[in-house]
């Protein structure tokens, strides 16, 4: 269990302070004036591997791979539907992770899933599985700061970067504590609500990103409710980048992996505009 | 183990029920290793605000007075403790029923809902969101919303919308909006997910009126406090009737609110506490600790940690988890959690109807089914059964199950 494969961490004495691959790359890109784009793709949904390859080829800086869970409370209809379809086809955490090495992409990968799958597997074991699969980071949207310690201890130990979520409802005194625990980047929740496309970028999206930028040097990415290229542009005028899930998955569901790639290129072009 | 950044909330000045085995959970909302607050970050401040609001209200005599008054003048409390002579004779026991079926809206659910609705108003909320299984909690919430002038939205699994059509109509009549949930197993667990999604989006003006002793802290504790009136009354009533505490206290367990309410009155006596689960939703017996719906508790799940679907004849017990305090009471051996089959429940439903002239809710019939199966092992003992609800809502379903036999 003691992370034989986590060679990145070899020789690093202060594991908790180590800056991992995602954060290193994201800080460097941000500091060079590059806006960050992280698509979300549901693992196990038909065409998911090609969709991730297309993301990598067309301008994504990292990809968030969803491991489907039976009770996805932070997800709206599109991602619920994708998760259910993946589960119906037999997607399991191990089956999804087993395929990750064969994706053969250059950008870092994260896993987004719900805490019970981690809890059930065991914190150390799950963290170790991620490392073995070549996954650099992890997002658990139902594991808030106060409950996160058993997981983050294991993740830090194995060298997995735990992305923390910050929400528009947080009072000012909470945000620095959330930011301090964030590794990789800080996920600025764009809207009061679950994943899904919206006509407009919520005012809360840029407001929260602004509050976070003022208190942390960790890259700040807006996710949930960023629904098209124009909204991604708008969000990245304040934030360092965006995460897009429902709009990616709708394209994968309706049109397949190539459409995801085209869309990534479109968002990329939009956020690269000055 | 816990990190130093833990509390935004004010630390407790008073610890409620400090001298009871069922006192407050710890500062992380845990009963032993069960409970906690596993919610999306968006909801953390709302849970903290609710905890602070509840603490303050529960310590305020004016709030307690208001609640006692509506429980008495509107819900009909105290509910009676009825000695069941013919059933007692049939089973060789001395059986009392705590008549939560006689409360306004027909079940124990109203106790909790009136408490939460009063609290929501006090906290300035204008809308209640609820999940419901059998529809009893939904009806109770719609009722409280009507009484207090709050908006109300109820989520109900599509399967339950079909089998509890009468309650759906009732909720609409009371002015609530009912939405059928088509995701997952389309029962109670999925209704909870959908209610939580709603709350994530509406947390500013809405209160999530959770219907059982489950969910993130402070719900399991708060909902227990609102239901402990059941046990507190029953203990006094039993002493008045028999001069002693009962030997056994029995209740059905879905999320576990009616059971925890009656257990709270007897946990510090010598009474044996029995929570009866449906065979198809036996979280305590067959589950392992897991995290869903904001809490760590026993949970039925597959080998990967996907939550399994419960299957029960009663919509109100169709839940793969259980409230964390029950997990704890089980883990320390203070309460036991056997289960009964649907067939045994159908028998018990008829038994109580015919021996006592009381048609029980299918949920409550689980407690009677256990008593009827195990009664021979406790001959002569005094048993208090929590009759959590009345069976009107189940009559149409039982017509299908029994066919003409219901008229026999
Ligand atoms: C009459 C009745 N009893 C029991 C229950 C189960 O809930 P709990 O276990 O929280 O008491 C329900 C739920 O709908 C119910 O309607």
């Amino acid at each position: 269990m003691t992370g034989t494969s986590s060679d990145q961490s070899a020789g690093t004495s202060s594991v908790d302070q180590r800056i991992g691959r995602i954060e290193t790359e994201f800080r460097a890109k941000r500091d060079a004036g590059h806006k960050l784009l992280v698509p979300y793709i549901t693992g196990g949904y038909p065409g998911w591997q090609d969709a991730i390859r297309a993301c990598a080829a067309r301008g994504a800086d990292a990809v968030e791979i969803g491991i489907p869970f039976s009770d996805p409370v932070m997800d709206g209809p599109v991602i619920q539907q994708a998760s259910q379809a993946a589960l119906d086809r037999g997607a399991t955490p191990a089956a999804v992770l087993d395929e990750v090495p064969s994706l053969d992409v250059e950008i870092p990968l994260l896993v987004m899933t719900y805490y019970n799958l981690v809890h059930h597997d065991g914190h150390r074991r799950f963290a170790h599985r991620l490392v073995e699969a070549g996954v650099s980071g992890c997002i658990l949207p139902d594991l808030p700061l106060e409950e996160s310690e058993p997981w983050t201890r294991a993740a830090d130990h194995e060298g997995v970067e735990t992305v923390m979520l910050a929400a528009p409802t947080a009072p000012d005194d909470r945000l620095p504590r959330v930011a301090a625990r964030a590794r990789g980047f800080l996920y600025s929740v764009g809207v009061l609500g679950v994943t899904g496309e919206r006509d407009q970028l919520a005012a809360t999206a840029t407001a929260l990103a602004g509050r976070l930028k003022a208190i942390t040097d960790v890259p700040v990415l807006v996710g949930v409710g960023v629904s098209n290229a124009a909204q991604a542009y708008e969000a990245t005028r304040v934030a360092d980048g965006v995460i897009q899930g429902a709009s990616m998955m709708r394209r994968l569901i309706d049109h397949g992996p190539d459409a995801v790639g085209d869309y990534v290129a479109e968002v990329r072009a939009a956020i690269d505009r000055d | 183990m816990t990190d130093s950044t833990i509390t935004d909330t004010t630390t407790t000045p008073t610890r409620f029920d400090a001298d009871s085995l069922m006192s407050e959970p710890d500062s992380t909302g845990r009963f032993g290793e069960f409970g906690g607050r596993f919610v999306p970050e968006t909801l953390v401040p709302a849970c903290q605000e609710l905890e602070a609001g509840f603490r303050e209200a529960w310590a305020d005599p004016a709030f307690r007075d208001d609640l006692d008054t509506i429980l008495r003048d509107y819900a009909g409390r105290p509910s009676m403790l009825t000695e069941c002579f013919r059933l007692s004779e049939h089973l060789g026991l001395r059986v009392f029923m705590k008549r939560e079926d006689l409360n306004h809206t027909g079940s124990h659910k109203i106790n909790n809902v009136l408490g939460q609705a009063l609290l929501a108003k006090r906290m300035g909320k204008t809308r209640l969101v609820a999940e419901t299984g059998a529809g009893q909690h939904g009806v109770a919430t719609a009722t409280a919303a009507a009484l207090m002038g709050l908006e109300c939205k109820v989520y109900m699994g599509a399967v339950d919308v079909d089998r509890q059509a009468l309650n759906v109509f009732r909720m609409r009549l009371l002015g609530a909006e009912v939405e059928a949930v088509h995701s997952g197993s389309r029962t109670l667990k999925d209704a909870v997910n959908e209610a939580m999604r709603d709350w994530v989006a509406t947390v500013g003006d809405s209160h999530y009126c959770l219907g059982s002793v489950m969910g993130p802290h402070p719900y399991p504790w708060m909902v227990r406090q609102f239901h402990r009136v059941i046990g507190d009354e029953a203990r006094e009533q039993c002493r008045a009737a028999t001069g002693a505490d009962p030997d056994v206290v029995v209740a059905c367990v879905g999320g576990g609110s009616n059971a925890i309410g009656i257990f709270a009155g007897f946990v510090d006596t010598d009474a044996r506490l029995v929570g009866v689960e449906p065979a198809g939703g036996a979280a305590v017996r067959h589950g392992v600790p897991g995290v869903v719906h904001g809490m760590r508790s026993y949970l039925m799940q597959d080998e990967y940690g996907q939550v399994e679907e419960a299957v029960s004849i009663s919509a109100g017990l169709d839940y793969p988890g259980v409230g964390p305090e029950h997990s704890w009471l089980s883990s320390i051996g203070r309460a036991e959690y056997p289960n009964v089959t649907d067939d045994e429940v159908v028998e018990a439903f008829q038994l109580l109807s015919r021996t006592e002239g009381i048609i029980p809710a299918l949920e409550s019939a689980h407690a009677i089914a256990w008593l009827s199966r195990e009664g021979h092992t406790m001959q002569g003992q005094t048993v208090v059964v929590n009759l959590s609800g009345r069976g009107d809502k189940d009559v149409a379903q039982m017509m299908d199950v029994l066919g003409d036999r219901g008229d026999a």
Side-chain angles (χ1 to χ4, degrees):
Chain A
M1 283 274 239
T2 42
T4 43
S5 71
S6 59
D7 46 6
Q8 304 170 18
S9 67
T12 313
S13 54
S14 176
V15 276
D16 286 33
Q17 296 310 313
R18 183 186 59 234
I19 292 191
R21 176 180 172 194
I22 300 170
E23 191 166 334
T24 305
E25 289 188 17
F26 277 25
R27 279 177 182 269
K29 286 180 169 180
R30 179 207 43 202
D31 294 347
H34 174 96
K35 295 295 180 184
L36 300 156
L37 173 56
V38 180
Y40 160 95
I41 299 293
T42 304
Y45 188 83
W48 70 279
Q49 304 98 321
D50 284 339
I52 290 172
R53 292 187 190 105
C55 290
R58 307 291 297 274
D61 298 290
V63 174
E64 204 183 294
I65 304 171
I67 296 184
F69 179 54
S70 53
D71 295 82
V73 289
M74 264 305 281
D75 287 308
V78 171
I79 295 177
Q80 280 181 50
Q81 181 198 337
S83 298
Q84 191 60 52
L87 288 171
D88 291 346
R89 295 173 78 235
T92 64
V96 170
L97 290 173
D98 282 351
E99 301 234 16
V100 170
S102 67
L103 292 173
D104 200 24
V105 291
E106 302 281 305
I107 53 174
L109 300 170
L110 299 96
V111 151
M112 142 55 217
T113 193
Y114 288 86
Y115 179 56
N116 195 50
L117 298 185
V118 178
H119 179 272
H120 191 81
D121 203 30
H123 300 104
R124 284 290 283 276
R125 184 144 44 138
F126 192 83
H128 191 65
R129 271 184 208 272
L130 296 186
V131 172
E132 297 226 291
V135 171
S136 305
C138 186
I139 306 177
L140 300 169
D142 59 345
L143 191 68
L145 182 66
E146 288 77 0
E147 300 287 358
S148 65
E149 200 268 350
W151 160 250
T152 52
R153 187 155 32 96
D156 288 348
H157 182 87
E158 294 286 338
V160 173
E161 298 169 77
T162 300
V163 171
M164 299 298 287
L165 287 85
T169 49
D172 283 337
D173 63 346
R174 183 173 176 83
L175 295 179
R177 294 189 287 112
V178 174
R181 188 42 261 184
R183 303 288 182 272
F185 60 88
L186 184 56
Y187 194 129
S188 177
V189 176
V191 61
L192 277 182
V194 296
T195 60
E197 295 168 274
R198 276 92 173 163
D199 293 340
Q200 307 234 306
L201 187 71
T204 48
T206 43
L208 179 62
R211 288 168 72 199
L212 292 170
K213 290 290 294 172
I215 57 150
T216 183
D217 191 41
V218 176
V220 173
L221 277 71
V222 178
V224 184
V226 183
S227 313
N228 56 40
Q231 291 180 19
Y233 173 79
E234 205 184 323
T236 51
R237 292 317 92 185
V238 180
D240 300 316
V242 287
I243 301 146
Q244 283 186 254
S247 57
M248 296 285 162
M249 288 310 296
R250 186 170 53 78
R251 284 170 174 82
L252 180 59
I253 292 167
D254 292 346
H255 306 292
D258 292 344
V260 173
D262 291 345
Y263 178 56
V264 168
E266 181 194 337
V267 177
R268 174 86 266 155
I271 62 178
D272 284 350
R273 261 192 304 138
D274 303 312
Chain B
M1 170 114 204
T2 47
D3 86 41
S4 55
T5 59
I6 267 185
T7 42
D8 283 358
T9 43
T10 45
T11 38
T12 335
T14 40
R15 191 172 162 80
F16 295 105
D17 314 299
D19 49 356
S20 173
L21 184 62
M22 283 167 64
S23 66
E24 277 185 41
D26 71 17
S27 64
T28 70
R30 278 171 173 71
F31 304 92
E33 56 173 307
F34 302 102
R37 183 179 282 158
F38 296 87
V39 290
E41 175 65 23
T42 305
L43 295 179
V44 171
C47 290
Q48 291 171 337
E49 184 197 344
L50 181 62
E51 183 190 346
F54 172 67
R55 258 181 210 295
E56 185 259 327
W58 197 245
D60 178 0
F63 178 84
R64 301 287 287 274
D65 264 5
D66 287 351
L67 181 55
D68 287 349
T69 303
I70 48 175
L71 286 174
R72 184 190 65 220
D73 297 346
Y74 186 75
R77 300 212 73 87
S79 67
M80 296 188 279
L81 187 73
T82 302
E83 181 158 10
C84 296
F85 294 101
R86 294 193 66 223
L87 182 68
S88 295
E89 193 185 329
H90 178 80
L91 297 176
L93 306 164
R94 187 170 185 196
V95 182
F96 291 86
M97 295 278 162
K98 180 61 176 162
R99 301 294 302 280
E100 294 298 302
D101 61 318
L102 296 180
N103 295 338
H104 181 45
T105 71
S107 81
H108 71 291
K109 299 283 183 187
I110 195 77
N111 306 326
N112 166 45
V113 159
L114 290 174
Q116 287 198 46
L118 261 190
L119 181 60
K121 274 208 94 144
R122 186 181 169 102
M123 293 175 66
K125 306 289 178 182
T126 56
R127 177 173 175 269
L128 300 179
V129 183
E131 83 296 339
T132 196
Q136 289 304 96
H137 174 62
V139 167
T141 306
T143 299
L147 176 68
M148 299 188 200
L150 298 164
E151 262 181 85
C152 182
K153 171 91 178 251
V154 180
Y155 292 93
M156 188 170 191
V159 169
D160 297 334
V161 167
D162 289 341
R163 62 179 160 173
Q164 300 286 350
L166 196 62
N167 272 343
V168 174
F169 184 71
R170 251 185 214 136
M171 288 184 264
R172 291 186 173 140
L173 207 54
L174 291 160
E177 187 188 339
V178 181
E179 187 172 317
V181 177
H182 292 274
S183 57
S185 59
R186 301 184 297 142
T187 59
L188 182 54
K189 121 183 142 60
D190 311 283
V192 175
N193 292 336
E194 209 52 42
M196 285 186 74
R197 292 181 187 116
D198 182 310
W199 196 33
V200 168
T202 60
V203 60
D205 64 357
S206 297
H207 170 72
Y208 181 14
C209 187
L210 233 167
S212 193
V213 282
M214 40 173 280
H217 181 52
Y219 284 100
W221 170 54
M222 176 177 74
V223 176
R224 179 247 278 169
Q225 295 301 73
F226 287 141
H227 277 304
R228 66 175 307 134
V229 63
I230 305 172
D232 288 340
E233 286 174 8
R235 186 185 57 247
E236 295 313 315
Q237 291 166 322
C238 185
R239 282 180 186 169
T242 70
D245 291 322
D247 299 298
V248 186
V249 174
V250 198
C252 67
V253 174
S257 67
N258 86 88
I260 217 84
I262 198 156
F263 287 2
F266 296 98
V267 71
D268 304 311
T269 73
D270 292 332
R272 182 177 165 198
L273 306 179
V274 182
V276 185
E277 295 190 299
V284 179
R285 180 66 65 85
H286 298 305
V288 294
V291 176
V292 78
H293 296 157
M295 63 184 174
R296 182 174 191 278
S297 197
Y298 286 119
L299 177 67
M300 290 167 49
Q301 44 193 317
D302 73 9
E303 59 180 305
Y304 305 105
Q306 307 291 358
V307 181
E308 290 192 318
E309 299 177 8
V311 187
S312 161
I313 190 169
S314 85
L317 303 187
D318 236 345
Y319 186 65
V322 65
E325 196 169 17
H326 285 295
S327 293
W328 177 70
L329 288 169
S330 171
S331 72
I332 62 166
R334 179 60 189 95
E336 56 198 285
Y337 297 86
N339 56 75
V340 294
T341 65
D342 285 353
D343 288 344
E344 291 171 320
V345 170
V346 170
E347 285 299 316
F349 181 85
Q350 295 167 283
L351 177 68
L352 192 69
S353 301
R354 289 172 187 189
T355 55
E356 295 294 335
I358 299 171
I359 301 176
L362 278 173
E363 290 78 16
S364 325
H366 284 67
I368 297 150
W370 177 81
L371 200 59
S372 148
R373 187 180 74 202
E374 306 295 334
H376 65 94
T377 64
M378 19 181 170
Q379 292 296 293
Q381 296 187 8
T382 302
V383 181
V384 172
V385 179
N386 196 13
L387 193 70
S388 57
R390 67 177 88 126
D392 307 28
K393 69 184 174 58
D394 300 312
V395 167
Q397 186 188 351
M398 290 307 282
M399 274 171 70
D400 289 343
V401 173
L402 295 172
D404 291 339
R405 288 197 291 134
D407 301 325

